[in-house]
Amino acid sequence: MSQNYDVLVIGAGPGGYIAAIRAAQLGLKTAVVEREHLAGICSNWGCIPTKALLRSAEVLDNTNHAKEYGLVIEGQVKADLEAIVKRSRGIAERMNSGVAFLMKKNKVDVIWGEATLTKPGEVSVSETKKKIVEPQGPKPKNALGAGTYTAKHIIVATGARPRALPGIEPDGKLIWTYFDALKPAKLPKSLMVMGSGAIGIEFASFYRSLGVEVTVVEVMKQVMPVEDTEIATFAQKRLEKRGIKIMLEAKVAKVEKGSDSITAHVETKDGKVEKITADRMISAVGVQGNIENIGLEKLGIKTDRGCIVIDDYCKTNVEGIYAIGDVAGPPMLAHKAEHEAVICVEKLAGQKGVHPLDKRKVPGCTYCNPQVASVGLTEAKAKEVGYDVRVGRFNFVANGKAVALGEDQGMVKTVFDKKTGELLGAHMVGAEVTELIEGFVVAMNLETTEEELMHTIFPHPTLSEMMKESVLDAYGRALNA
């Protein structure tokens, strides 16, 4: 089979399918090649199903504190692991089907199989040989198959996969990736999590809510290393209060496998080795771009540290070939991929006023308990690059809505340029901060100053009031603290 397109996208994850939709909206004949499942890792095995698990954990946590809200629950509330996982997988399937509908609605052809770049403007698609995860998503009706396809513009959106450390490779039984952690056959009594980024901490939080003894090992000096130190320290204390053991400046040097458990040799910063036995281990040491076996080398497409090198508008060094999302480098976040998709397509389509991605304005969210969210520079980074800063803080304990919710442990922190009043960064920990952070993202995109934020009316009673109070505090004007 052979067919010619204006735009052909390799990969139907958050970046790929959004790129295809935007191209179709602009009147370009478009196709997307997918080897495994529409909606990508995010909707099938990442962002969405993990949030479903964490929602179950949140409901369980709230139920366990029912008395604090004046409620009496007769009998014990227990977690049904099979039902929790089933709900999560059902939601993933629903998202998968939703993307199939969007492809049909926007008249985007879906080509099922593995794509290889054979030359600029040409892609060879073969039948998928090995599936990364089971089950494979349902094929959209009338999906195209193996063949050679041509396109004026080819967008590589092949995503990323879990990174493995030599000698500690996941085996799906005793050492898990996040794929395995999403659908455990049984609930372990104890769990070690290697890595305290968003993936590691979210699973640590989920399994702890279900009563599992959890130990987190992190090689850096703080949990969630990309976050502001003050926020990360606050989160760590709350996680430890929940019973999660956290070992910082430590690394798993070796793992011994038993019949139904692992023993990790953990090297601490003082050079000592502590042996820790757990039923299961989650390897959460980051992800790496899927750059192999897609023809990059043959075409001379530049890569760096496992990612495709692109310019401000997602172009590679080869004319007519672009890259977006995780495969194009950090931050490896679904919303960054979606934004790059729109930038890439609108630029290649000749749209006016297209702006490059500003990575400083890409928010990051971790959906553990407590939640963590941020955008922009941390206090330390702002000082490191030469800013004279003003820092504001406001604690949840002084917010009426937080107290009424029974969620009075958290903090909002803002960082301003003392000279200009520019908002350089915002950092939060506590209930629902992953929803609140967008207010500061909008403010930064509008180049809002502290004065404009101070004159903004926030509704009462809401958690969002703390955002304004944090701004006021940076200038010595906090009203409720």
Side-chain angles (χ1 to χ4, degrees):
M1 182 175 291
S2 180
Q3 199 160 339
N4 185 56
Y5 294 94
D6 296 316
V7 174
L8 189 146
V9 186
I10 303 175
Y17 86 76
I18 290 295
I21 290 172
R22 186 66 186 121
Q25 288 176 341
L26 292 173
L28 301 174
K29 185 179 180 183
T30 306
V32 61
V33 184
E34 176 54 52
R35 67 179 179 181
E36 196 162 20
H37 38 228
L38 296 176
I41 294 299
C42 176
S43 291
N44 290 278
W45 294 96
C47 314
I48 303 303
T50 55
K51 303 312 162 282
L53 296 182
L54 287 162
R55 176 59 172 167
S56 294
E58 180 184 22
V59 173
L60 180 61
D61 287 337
N62 288 339
T63 309
N64 288 333
H65 294 88
K67 286 186 178 180
E68 298 174 15
Y69 297 90
L71 304 174
V72 177
I73 296 177
E74 299 291 345
Q76 184 180 3
V77 178
K78 297 186 292 185
D80 182 338
L81 182 64
E82 182 179 353
I84 290 172
V85 171
K86 182 178 180 181
R87 176 178 182 270
S88 172
R89 300 312 310 148
I91 290 170
E93 183 178 344
R94 179 176 172 181
M95 300 303 294
N96 181 292
S97 299
V99 173
F101 167 77
L102 290 172
M103 296 298 96
K104 181 179 179 181
K105 174 186 175 183
N106 289 280
K107 297 180 173 57
V108 174
D109 285 349
V110 176
I111 305 168
W112 213 252
E114 295 185 351
T116 304
L117 295 162
T118 49
K119 62 183 180 182
E122 184 178 277
V123 170
S124 174
V125 179
S126 59
E127 187 175 342
T128 302
K129 301 179 184 67
K130 183 180 179 182
K131 300 175 179 63
I132 306 302
V133 226
E134 295 288 354
Q136 184 181 20
K139 291 184 182 180
K141 293 180 180 179
N142 304 318
L144 302 176
T148 299
Y149 298 86
T150 57
K152 184 178 180 181
H153 306 284
I154 298 172
I155 301 173
V156 180
T158 48
R161 64 185 184 278
R163 188 164 70 92
L165 298 182
I168 318 178
E169 293 87 356
D171 58 13
K173 180 185 176 185
L174 298 176
I175 303 178
W176 293 345
T177 65
Y178 55 80
F179 295 119
D180 308 303
L182 273 165
K183 51 179 184 63
K186 64 178 181 179
L187 192 67
K189 292 182 180 178
S190 56
L191 175 70
M192 172 172 284
V193 179
M194 182 170 61
S196 74
I199 293 173
I201 286 296
E202 286 183 2
F203 277 115
S205 181
F206 167 72
Y207 278 99
R208 182 57 196 151
S209 291
L210 269 60
V212 177
E213 295 179 11
V214 178
T215 300
V216 176
V217 179
E218 171 56 55
V219 71
M220 303 299 285
K221 292 182 178 181
Q222 68 175 56
V223 294
M224 293 176 274
V226 301
E227 299 296 343
D228 183 90
T229 299
E230 193 173 1
I231 296 296
T233 301
F234 191 107
Q236 179 182 339
K237 290 178 180 177
R238 297 301 302 170
L239 291 166
E240 288 175 332
K241 188 170 183 180
R242 293 184 57 207
I244 297 174
K245 180 181 179 181
I246 297 175
M247 301 177 68
L248 300 177
E249 296 183 87
K251 68 176 182 178
V252 178
K254 183 174 70 172
V255 174
E256 296 174 350
K257 295 182 181 180
S259 60
D260 199 32
S261 65
I262 60 97
T263 298
H265 295 236
V266 181
E267 292 183 2
T268 58
K269 61 181 178 181
D270 55 11
K272 295 180 181 179
V273 176
E274 183 177 342
K275 293 184 180 181
I276 301 175
T277 299
D279 290 346
R280 297 292 182 269
M281 170 189 279
I282 296 177
S283 176
V285 291
V287 297
Q288 62 189 79
N290 292 320
I291 63 172
E292 302 86 0
N293 305 315
I294 56 175
L296 301 180
E297 301 87 353
K298 181 179 178 180
L299 271 63
I301 296 173
K302 291 182 181 178
T303 63
D304 180 40
R305 290 175 287 185
C307 297
I308 298 174
V309 177
I310 59 173
D311 69 5
D312 287 344
Y313 296 100
C314 306
K315 291 178 65 177
T316 70
N317 61 302
V318 176
E319 186 66 28
I321 299 179
Y322 313 77
I324 61 173
D326 289 358
V327 77
M332 293 180 174
L333 300 167
H335 44 280
K336 173 258 194 182
E338 293 180 357
H339 196 75
E340 278 185 328
V342 174
I343 290 172
C344 177
V345 170
E346 291 186 348
K347 188 66 175 179
L348 69 83
Q351 295 288 294
K352 296 180 179 180
V354 181
H355 299 288
L357 173 72
D358 184 349
K359 291 185 178 180
R360 276 177 47 176
K361 295 174 183 175
V362 178
C365 297
T366 305
Y367 299 81
C368 53
N369 179 8
Q371 293 182 9
V372 175
S374 61
V375 65
L377 299 177
T378 64
E379 179 183 357
K381 187 64 178 178
K383 291 177 179 177
E384 180 186 319
V385 298
Y387 286 104
D388 187 10
V389 301
R390 286 182 178 271
V391 178
R393 301 171 182 84
F394 195 82
N395 292 318
F396 275 48
V397 73
N399 175 262
K401 180 67 177 294
V403 174
L405 291 174
E407 300 283 2
D408 65 354
Q409 294 301 302
M411 179 171 63
V412 177
K413 178 177 180 178
T414 45
V415 182
F416 289 89
D417 179 1
K418 185 180 291 187
K419 182 179 179 180
T420 66
E422 178 189 1
L423 176 62
L424 301 174
H427 311 275
M428 305 176 174
V429 56
E432 301 303 330
V433 297
T434 56
E435 297 292 339
L436 296 178
I437 192 63
E438 187 57 26
F440 282 131
V441 179
V442 172
M444 290 180 69
N445 271 279
L446 295 176
E447 299 181 352
T448 305
T449 65
E450 91 290 353
E451 183 177 356
E452 290 164 325
L453 285 167
M454 288 178 185
H455 284 91
T456 300
I457 299 173
F458 287 76
H460 173 80
T462 63
L463 298 176
S464 67
E465 292 174 277
M466 293 184 287
M467 298 165 65
K468 180 175 180 176
E469 288 283 359
S470 177
V471 175
L472 291 168
D473 183 65
Y475 290 82
R477 294 174 53 183
L479 299 170
N480 286 283

